[in-house]
Amino acid sequence: MSDSAPVFSAADTEKVCCCLCGDPGRPVYDLPPYGVRRCSHCTLVFVSPRLQRAALSRFYDQVDYFEGGVYGDQSRFSPAMALQRVWTAGRLNRIDRIVKARNGRGSAGQRLLEFGSGYGLFLAAARDRGYQVQGVELSRPAVRESAKQGLDVYCGQLVDAPLTGPYGVICGWDTLEHVPDPLAVLRRIRELAADDATVALSTPYFSSLPSRVLGQRWWTLKPAEHIWHYTPYTLRLLAARADLVVTTVIRSPLTAANLTRLDSLVVLLRPARRSSRRN
Ligand SMILES: [Zn+2]
């Protein structure tokens, strides 16, 4: 983050409760003006107080937010970008295999939606493999950059995007920890997903070794932006409430889809079968 990064105070924050239980949670870490709390019912970890919507938009409009991290401008070479390309290829390989097993044809003409598409690296790679791609991204500079590559990206949150399903593939890479209401996002994904769709997500996880060993010094805690922290258990709970089923959890930092990531996981999901869905 550059020196020009906005500085936030308690006035920019709001208190929230667990999106599954409505529980205010118990304190885990106190990081003024933020707090990290854990739901006393379901154990989901969340940031409260956290940045309000207007402050969050200011945060994501900083060009440095993307250029300074692994989501950087793809026209420049950097080791972080090389890693991003390994993840992209590894994730697309996994998704391609599932898509082919389900439809017998593969990616050609399949509709793929990515939420939190950043500068469009994954979308462009998916387009090269034959998918019909669309994205959703909150950062205006990143949406402008995507448009230059001819990518169709809506600027805003997934829940507000005027999209029409069904999509065969819906992905969100390191995005679900950023969204104001992850249950609303997963429910929107379920609405947009075809009944045989593949949903693929990646996210840091709170039960990872770095998180447990480093505590509040965990480098991925970042309470301004990472406002929900999952475990494989709470991800399954959240998915079930949105009528999605977790089929695969990839934790290994040796797998291409998650290479070097000691504190993150890749999760594959599918819509729950209709017979098991709640009304
Ligand atoms: Zn809860």
Side-chain angles (χ1 to χ4, degrees), residues 177-234:
E177 65 275 20
H178 294 261
V179 298
D181 183 346
L183 181 57
V185 165
L186 288 185
R187 284 182 165 158
R188 183 68 180 135
I189 287 174
R190 178 60 195 94
E191 284 171 4
L192 292 168
D195 284 342
D196 64 347
T198 300
V199 178
L201 309 168
S202 67
T203 183
Y205 68 114
F206 203 73
S207 49
S208 64
L209 193 64
S211 164
R212 283 186 282 134
V213 169
L214 296 170
Q216 65 181 52
R217 288 177 294 119
W218 179 33
W219 61 81
T220 309
L221 202 54
K222 301 182 179 172
E225 56 197 285
H226 292 172
I227 54 182
W228 300 92
H229 287 284
Y230 308 100
T231 62
Y233 171 75
T234 56

Side-chain angles (χ1 to χ4, degrees), residues 17-23 38-46 234 237 241:
C17 293
C18 173
C19 66
L20 290 176
C21 314
D23 184 86
R38 180 186 279 112
C39 174
S40 352
H41 298 288
C42 74
T43 71
L44 181 57
V45 174
F46 54 96
T234 56
L237 287 182
R241 285 279 289 276

Side-chain angles (χ1 to χ4, degrees), residues 27 34 56 59 71 115 147 165 183 190 231 279:
Y34 313 107
L56 210 52
F59 184 86
Y71 305 95
F115 66 103
L183 181 57
R190 178 60 195 94
T231 62
N279 293 317

Side-chain angles (χ1 to χ4, degrees), residues 4-216:
S4 60
V7 174
F8 298 107
S9 71
D12 298 304
T13 67
E14 61 179 0
K15 287 188 177 170
V16 297
C17 293
C18 173
C19 66
L20 290 176
C21 314
D23 184 86
R26 297 207 178 110
V28 180
Y29 304 128
D30 189 23
L31 304 163
Y34 313 107
V36 177
R37 304 178 78 86
R38 180 186 279 112
C39 174
S40 352
H41 298 288
C42 74
T43 71
L44 181 57
V45 174
F46 54 96
V47 174
S48 177
R50 70 179 188 190
L51 288 182
Q52 291 172 0
R53 189 176 269 251
L56 210 52
S57 292
R58 268 192 286 147
F59 184 86
Y60 288 117
D61 278 344
Q62 301 166 78
V63 173
D64 277 359
Y65 172 72
F66 283 101
E67 291 187 346
V70 291
Y71 305 95
D73 176 354
Q74 52 188 284
S75 62
R76 300 177 199 170
F77 178 80
S78 70
M81 278 310 301
L83 202 47
Q84 185 79 356
R85 289 182 194 284
V86 172
W87 296 333
T88 293
R91 292 165 184 178
L92 275 171
N93 288 345
R94 291 243 173 199
I95 292 166
D96 283 353
R97 282 202 296 273
I98 298 170
V99 167
K100 188 150 195 192
R102 287 193 185 156
N103 70 9
R105 300 188 311 277
S107 54
Q110 281 280 312
R111 296 184 73 207
L112 180 148
L113 173 68
E114 183 186 10
F115 66 103
S117 53
Y119 278 83
L121 175 70
F122 181 86
L123 278 184
R127 181 175 60 186
D128 289 347
R129 293 197 186 200
Y131 290 99
Q132 287 179 24
V133 303
Q134 277 180 281
V136 175
E137 168 58 48
L138 193 57
S139 159
R140 282 178 285 193
V143 171
R144 278 197 295 272
E145 211 46 53
S146 302
K148 285 184 199 162
Q149 300 173 67
L151 294 166
D152 173 6
V153 177
Y154 172 81
C155 188
Q157 298 276 3
L158 176 68
V159 291
D160 302 323
L163 300 166
T164 308
Y167 292 89
V169 180
I170 303 183
C171 321
W173 309 118
D174 298 340
T175 301
L176 202 63
E177 65 275 20
H178 294 261
V179 298
D181 183 346
L183 181 57
V185 165
L186 288 185
R187 284 182 165 158
R188 183 68 180 135
I189 287 174
R190 178 60 195 94
E191 284 171 4
L192 292 168
D195 284 342
D196 64 347
T198 300
V199 178
L201 309 168
S202 67
T203 183
Y205 68 114
F206 203 73
S207 49
S208 64
L209 193 64
S211 164
R212 283 186 282 134
V213 169
L214 296 170
Q216 65 181 52

